[in-house]
Amino acid sequence: MLKIIWVILSLVLIGLIFLRTPQNQGLASFSTKSNLLGSPSSAEQFLNNLTVILMIGYFSLAIFLNFLN
């Protein structure tokens, strides 16, 4: 059961990392930083926090599963 959760977590992390946009895109980066139509910086902060939490969970499960074997 834990291995299934671990595999799903790794696939979600891979997808989340691939969907993230690069930080340096010239003028396109400047246009996405404007706060006129919402707050992209808060969405970016949420995605950063979610990525860190999922990575901690992934590595914790990897260490735990390593000690089981």
Side-chain angles (χ1 to χ4, degrees):
M1 179 67 182
L2 286 177
K3 287 187 180 184
I4 294 172
I5 294 172
W6 186 62
V7 169
I8 292 171
L9 186 60
S10 66
L11 293 175
V12 169
L13 270 171
I14 290 170
L16 186 63
I17 290 170
F18 276 130
L19 288 177
R20 301 287 308 271
T21 58
Q23 297 296 325
N24 297 328
Q25 294 181 354
L27 292 177
S29 175
F30 177 73
S31 66
T32 59
K33 296 290 183 189
S34 68
N35 291 330
L36 294 175
L37 298 175
S39 180
S41 60
S42 67
E44 184 178 346
Q45 186 64 32
F46 172 75
L47 286 175
N48 287 340
N49 292 340
L50 180 65
T51 304
V52 169
I53 290 169
L54 291 178
M55 288 175 69
I56 290 171
Y58 176 82
F59 286 122
S60 299
L61 274 175
I63 291 169
F64 181 73
L65 290 173
N66 189 30
F67 283 128
L68 285 180
N69 291 329

